[in-house]
Amino acid sequence: MRLIFVFLFSIYSYALDDSFITKDEYAKMLYKNPRGIGCDKCHGKKGEGRVIGRYRDGNVTKILKGPKITNIDYESFYKALTTQKHYLMPHYFLTDKEIKTLYYYLQSKKKKK
């Protein structure tokens, strides 16, 4: 009888879970589109960095590149997302939870390499 009660309680508890996507799914979605332009557009699918474009400055071709962000510590990551010191980095107005989720996503990608 006790086993049946535990089983029914666990089913009931599972049904009350209000999340409809996993933390990994949410993190991936947020990375691809936090507020319009996704992080992946400049920093690559897994935060590895990527070339955004090339342009000519006189006779010199210059490369505009989004940096690798998988090796950054959390404090620097947080600061980059909450201050306007980067001339190309958009300001997303992310919550602390969203920033932590993005950092989690990047760290999980780094571990899979």
Side-chain angles (χ1 to χ4, degrees):
M1 182 69 166
R2 184 170 187 218
L3 185 60
I4 292 172
F5 176 74
V6 169
F7 176 73
L8 291 175
F9 181 75
S10 28
I11 289 175
Y12 177 74
S13 296
Y14 180 76
L16 289 179
D17 185 11
D18 62 351
S19 63
F20 61 95
I21 60 174
T22 67
K23 183 177 181 177
D24 289 335
E25 290 169 331
Y26 176 62
K28 182 178 182 180
M29 177 201 69
L30 192 59
Y31 185 76
K32 287 187 172 187
N33 191 359
R35 303 275 192 277
I37 300 170
C39 308
D40 60 331
K41 301 297 185 228
C42 299
H43 298 287
K45 289 183 181 182
K46 299 178 183 178
E48 70 278 9
R50 73 183 286 255
V51 173
I52 300 168
R54 292 171 170 59
Y55 65 97
R56 301 276 300 161
D57 185 8
N59 293 329
V60 179
T61 299
K62 295 195 175 184
I63 297 174
L64 188 59
K65 187 174 182 182
K68 177 179 179 178
I69 55 174
T70 56
N71 56 350
I72 190 170
D73 64 276
Y74 180 75
E75 186 177 311
S76 300
F77 184 76
Y78 184 87
K79 189 175 181 180
L81 287 170
T82 57
T83 59
Q84 282 293 170
K85 295 205 177 197
H86 305 282
Y87 67 99
L88 287 176
M89 178 75 176
H91 193 74
Y92 289 108
F93 302 98
L94 300 169
T95 67
D96 287 347
K97 183 179 179 182
E98 289 171 327
I99 293 170
K100 286 177 185 174
T101 302
L102 283 169
Y103 191 75
Y104 161 82
Y105 178 78
L106 292 168
Q107 296 307 302
S108 71
K109 294 298 161 197
K110 185 168 74 171
K111 291 176 186 175
K112 289 182 180 180
K113 288 182 181 179

